[in-house]
Amino acid sequence: MNLPIYMDYHATTPLDPRVLEAMMPYLTSKFGNAASRNHAFGWEAEEAVEKARKQIATLIGANAKEIVITSGATESNNLAIKGVAEMYAERGNHIITAATEHKATLDTCKRLEKHGYRITYLPVLASGLIDMDMLRESITDKTILISIMYANNEIGVIQPVREIGKLAKEKGVLFHTDAVQAVGKVPVNVLEDNIDLLSISGHKLYGPKGVGALYVRRKSPRVQLTAQIDGGGHERGMRSGTLNVPGIVGLGEACELCRKEMATESVRLRTLRDKLRAKLETALDEVYINGTMESRLPHNLNISFAFVEGESLLMGINDVAVSSGSACTSATLEPSYVLKALGAGDDIAHSSIRFGLGRFTTEEEVDYVAQKVISVVQHLRELSPLYEMFKEGVDLSKVQWTAH
Amino acid sequence: MAYSDKVLDHYNNPRNVGSMDKNDPNVGTGMVGAPECGDVMKLQVKVNPTTGIIEDAKFKTFGCGSAIASSSLATEMLKGKTVDEALAIKNTEIVNELALPPVKIHCSVLAEDAIKAAITNYKDKTAKEQAAVAQ
């Protein structure tokens, strides 16, 4: 076992060696521009892109023509939301999203707000899931788009996407989902889920960074977007710019590997994740899982160790790469807005650790991480005045703190 | 974030961890911060009533590594000082000693506040006791 151990697969994933192998020719000898229609270099690049487009589409039950290549999911989310907002401005100006979305969605919506659009940020339940009744009631005759993520990047909870898609279809509203964390990890099908627009990122599914895709539905309904980048009219006019051929080939190969291996991989990761959880919960008291375990990615565990601050915990497990919702690990000095949205309280947010398991995680690593976390939490609780007070039976919620 | 060697040392080997009897008339207890803010420090001093010198200091801290190091260092600085010398300790001494980066200066401020709170608590206790004796 090599140290440090990587257990932050929601942040990014390593490139699968098989993906790199598929990309190599397009980084070297096959360097053509896929838009060069008049020579063999261009043809072979275009052929590679079309193969990749098909691989991407197959993973999500779409048609290759419905895949628009982008630079990553941030761009996909921007294109989907701004593109719909602009294209359908005459029909309405209302967009519904959720408080726990990724910043690429939230900040895009905030910008649209400045341009006169009205945005509803749905709160979430303690489970991390949206309330379907609340979504239904939020839809007005001015609503043009619902943008709700498939699975959350911090707590891994999977939203009731199929129900959302069904409701959106009923109401004649377009449905976009940021599916970055879900695609390749759990079965996603744009037809069964009634998804109109779906964002994918290459580096979250063992592909390269700097490439992503946006699925744009072509039939019932045919979704139109206003391009956000002007230029040569690539990608059916929706996204200009010379295609990143090696990146696209990598994304395609990564999607195909996920499609073939998802069933076995997800079972393996769920077993490891559950083992990690069981070890932590057996050895430590006052441990809380953030978000529901009922509807969740198999490789995610987001857990709060009460009375222990997240950054100090990360410092103690410095040979394990994980992330924390603690303010001290972020640039803003605010704890995770996702955990706050669950209503868990800032103290629980400060105490949280996100474990993201992945393709190259081994059982030995899980055992090591569990043992390490347990011993560091125990050490820090020895130091914690809060744990001492808790053990003395003090109700911490009734203490008069001197906030600073 | 990269930590200084001194922060790491205090984090790995915190000095003077523990609690003293807060009802002991010679013990002053200060608790500052809030769980929602991500740090709470409890700092205690035990003062020799005849010499006015701090004979022992203990801490417990919920917070990031820099907060733990700041309070650990504070207990070391306190021992052997008089109560008034302790009140003169400035957070900048902690910043310099631990080489804290700008985003962690609030940890040293919190430690200074904890020192002041513990000494004030001790002084209040002795004042009350003297008032009781006078009566």
Side-chain angles (χ1 to χ4, degrees):
Chain A
M1 186 177 68
N2 293 322
L3 294 175
I5 291 167
Y6 190 74
M7 216 170 262
D8 201 14
Y9 278 83
H10 299 292
T12 192
T13 60
L15 194 69
D16 189 298
R18 294 167 291 181
V19 172
L20 178 62
E21 202 182 323
M23 290 169 67
M24 274 312 272
Y26 299 92
L27 288 160
T28 51
S29 56
K30 300 183 179 183
F31 58 86
N33 186 332
S36 297
R37 292 279 160 77
N38 53 355
H39 54 65
F41 292 88
W43 301 332
E44 85 186 342
E46 191 191 12
E47 195 181 324
V49 167
E50 292 319 310
K51 181 186 169 199
R53 213 185 283 283
K54 194 157 191 185
Q55 289 169 314
I56 300 163
T58 308
L59 179 61
I60 58 168
N63 184 296
K65 288 181 181 152
E66 297 173 308
I67 302 299
V68 174
I69 301 296
T70 66
S71 63
T74 291
E75 189 193 332
S76 298
N77 287 347
N78 270 266
L79 175 57
I81 299 168
K82 290 175 182 166
V84 164
E86 217 176 310
M87 179 61 74
Y88 296 88
E90 281 179 17
R91 193 183 294 178
N93 68 343
H94 180 224
I95 294 171
I96 301 170
T97 185
T100 51
E101 291 293 311
H102 191 273
K103 288 286 180 192
T105 295
L106 291 176
D107 287 359
T108 299
C109 288
K110 278 184 194 144
R111 183 177 292 272
L112 288 174
E113 247 174 338
K114 287 187 192 145
H115 293 290
Y117 288 86
R118 203 168 68 75
I119 314 288
T120 298
Y121 300 94
L122 291 176
V124 294
L125 305 168
S127 60
L129 303 179
I130 61 157
D131 180 338
M132 283 304 295
D133 290 333
M134 200 177 277
L135 173 61
R136 189 185 304 274
E137 286 157 18
S138 304
I139 299 172
T140 71
D141 56 357
K142 293 276 182 216
T143 309
I144 48 174
L145 179 69
I146 296 170
S147 179
I148 302 282
M149 70 201 326
Y150 209 108
N152 186 270
N153 50 306
E154 287 192 33
I155 53 177
V157 300
I158 299 173
Q159 296 289 354
V161 170
R162 193 161 295 184
E163 283 179 66
I164 300 169
K166 193 161 163 267
L167 176 64
K169 202 175 179 70
E170 264 169 42
K171 300 279 184 181
V173 175
L174 294 178
F175 174 37
H176 164 246
T177 186
D178 171 355
V180 162
Q181 299 290 341
V183 168
K185 317 297 168 64
V186 291
V188 170
N189 188 298
V190 292
L191 296 178
E192 288 169 14
D193 294 343
N194 285 309
I195 295 165
D196 298 312
L197 296 139
L198 176 144
S199 303
I200 298 178
S201 167
H203 74 101
K204 306 284 193 192
L205 39 74
Y206 311 95
K209 293 171 180 64
V211 65
L214 179 66
Y215 157 78
V216 183
R217 182 183 281 268
R218 265 164 63 98
K219 261 192 277 182
S220 59
R222 180 183 175 85
V223 179
Q224 290 178 288
L225 295 177
T226 303
Q228 301 297 306
I229 297 176
D230 297 312
H234 306 75
E235 300 299 279
R236 296 191 287 127
M238 285 192 248
R239 201 277 188 180
S240 288
T242 296
L243 291 177
N244 167 9
V245 178
I248 295 163
V249 168
L251 173 58
E253 185 67 18
C255 285
E256 180 154 347
L257 291 172
C258 282
R259 186 175 59 78
K260 288 179 178 158
E261 297 175 6
M262 187 192 305
T264 47
E265 190 165 282
S266 64
V267 170
R268 189 183 79 87
L269 290 177
R270 184 185 302 274
T271 308
L272 289 180
R273 189 269 314 271
D274 291 347
K275 183 177 188 192
L276 177 63
R277 177 192 177 189
K279 283 194 164 213
L280 297 173
E281 286 186 332
T282 308
L284 299 167
D285 61 342
E286 296 301 305
V287 165
Y288 300 95
I289 306 281
N290 297 305
T292 179
M293 290 300 290
E294 303 298 315
S295 175
R296 198 183 190 102
L297 295 171
H299 58 295
N300 171 282
L301 187 64
N302 189 308
I303 192 163
S304 286
F305 303 93
F307 320 118
V308 170
E309 194 276 329
E311 185 191 330
S312 64
L313 180 49
L314 292 192
M315 202 171 160
I317 53 169
N318 59 1
D319 52 4
V320 181
V322 291
S323 82
S324 169
S326 160
C328 282
T329 61
S330 75
T332 60
L333 291 177
E334 275 294 311
S336 155
Y337 66 92
V338 172
L339 296 182
K340 283 174 80 170
L342 304 186
D346 284 6
D347 50 339
I348 285 295
H350 280 294
S351 302
S352 74
I353 299 288
R354 174 186 71 178
F355 297 94
L357 284 65
R359 187 170 288 168
F360 306 103
T361 303
T362 65
E363 183 162 17
E364 193 186 10
E365 287 178 337
V366 168
D367 291 340
Y368 177 89
V369 169
Q371 201 42 54
K372 187 99 185 191
V373 170
I374 290 164
S375 70
V376 175
V377 168
Q378 284 167 343
H379 166 68
L380 291 171
R381 282 183 172 171
E382 285 290 305
L383 292 182
S384 171
L386 305 180
Y387 190 62
E388 182 182 62
M389 291 164 83
F390 166 74
K391 284 289 177 189
E392 286 168 357
V394 176
D395 182 350
L396 293 174
S397 65
K398 298 213 163 63
V399 175
Q400 205 63 54
W401 301 103
T402 56
H404 54 102
Chain B
M1 190 179 305
Y3 301 97
S4 71
D5 290 343
K6 282 186 178 162
V7 169
L8 285 170
D9 180 38
H10 278 280
Y11 172 85
N12 289 318
N13 312 293
R15 331 286 201 261
N16 309 307
V17 175
S19 295
M20 293 186 278
D21 178 7
K22 58 176 182 285
N23 298 317
D24 182 334
N26 297 325
V27 171
T29 303
M31 182 142 71
V32 295
E36 305 84 69
C37 304
D39 31 32
V40 175
M41 282 182 193
K42 185 181 85 163
L43 203 143
Q44 293 184 299
V45 290
K46 187 171 196 171
V47 183
N48 182 320
T50 43
T51 59
I53 286 174
I54 296 166
E55 289 186 330
D56 200 4
K58 296 273 185 209
F59 86 96
K60 283 204 172 191
T61 290
F62 162 84
C64 65
S66 303
I68 290 170
S70 295
S71 40
S72 170
L73 175 65
T75 58
E76 279 193 321
M77 293 166 87
L78 284 168
K79 282 196 201 178
K81 282 202 167 65
T82 66
V83 165
D84 291 327
E85 283 168 349
L87 282 176
I89 294 173
K90 289 274 166 286
N91 79 297
T92 45
E93 296 171 50
I94 296 170
V95 172
N96 293 337
E97 178 64 22
L98 296 176
L100 295 181
V103 292
K104 295 296 182 186
I105 287 176
H106 70 276
C107 299
S108 69
V109 174
L110 202 61
E112 184 189 318
D113 290 350
I115 292 172
K116 294 209 158 61
I119 302 287
T120 306
N121 177 252
Y122 167 74
K123 283 191 164 178
D124 286 353
K125 271 186 178 175
T126 28
K128 267 186 203 154
E129 205 172 292
Q130 278 165 358
V133 170
Q135 279 176 358

